[in-house]
Amino acid sequence: GESKSDLCLGFFDEQEDRWVCEDSCLKRNSTSSSGKETLCGTTDHFTSFAILLVGGSVKGDKCNEDLRYVTGSWQGDSGLVGALILLMLIIALILIGLSYVPLLRKVFYGEEGARVKEARFFSGQKVLD
């Protein structure tokens, strides 16, 4: 019954002649075919692995730190928010352009719709002789 924070998916580095922790954020899975609980972790290579006892106290929850940010860092999230704001401003400018620029109005409303809109706009104005 070790706690999850004391466990690590590790492999034996034969060049260094020592065990190396690959993933300390293991997930418990009880849906194995034998009905026994299994531990799952991630790695970027294939070799012989073992579950290691880390020992010592672990400060903070390093397994959930990456969940605080969508992109993984506050700088990336700030860039993402900035890009979304810029995209919304561009869309707003396009919509404004579609309403006020005659050429874009014809694209947005079509030839007949632009003519009707213009006729309605000028019908309320008095023409000076």
Side-chain angles (χ1 to χ4, degrees):
E2 278 72 17
S3 74
K4 198 164 94 172
S5 64
D6 293 338
L7 301 175
C8 174
L9 177 66
F11 70 96
F12 189 74
D13 187 341
E14 293 178 0
Q15 293 176 344
E16 296 288 324
D17 198 31
R18 67 182 183 94
W19 285 95
V20 178
C21 180
E22 183 76 12
D23 185 1
S24 61
C25 299
L26 302 178
K27 294 182 177 42
R28 294 188 187 275
N29 185 2
S30 60
T31 60
S32 67
S33 59
S34 65
K36 295 181 180 177
E37 184 177 62
T38 58
L39 295 170
C40 299
T42 58
T43 183
D44 60 357
H45 61 90
F46 292 107
T47 187
S48 296
F49 282 90
I51 302 297
L52 304 176
L53 293 174
V54 176
S57 63
V58 178
K59 295 181 180 174
D61 186 7
K62 61 185 172 190
C63 295
N64 291 324
E65 285 179 355
D66 59 337
L67 299 178
R68 294 190 336 209
Y69 302 108
V70 173
T71 61
S73 70
W74 70 269
Q75 295 96 338
D77 282 3
S78 297
L80 180 62
V81 168
L84 290 173
I85 289 172
L86 182 64
L87 178 66
M88 287 189 285
L89 287 173
I90 290 171
I91 290 172
L93 289 174
I94 289 171
L95 291 175
I96 289 170
L98 290 174
S99 297
Y100 291 107
V101 177
L103 178 63
L104 294 177
R105 192 179 314 137
K106 285 183 183 179
V107 170
F108 187 66
Y109 291 112
E111 190 76 33
E112 184 64 17
R115 188 190 66 76
V116 169
K117 185 151 179 74
E118 190 173 308
R120 286 181 181 163
F121 177 75
F122 287 117
S123 69
Q125 295 182 354
K126 294 183 182 180
V127 179
L128 298 175
D129 291 324

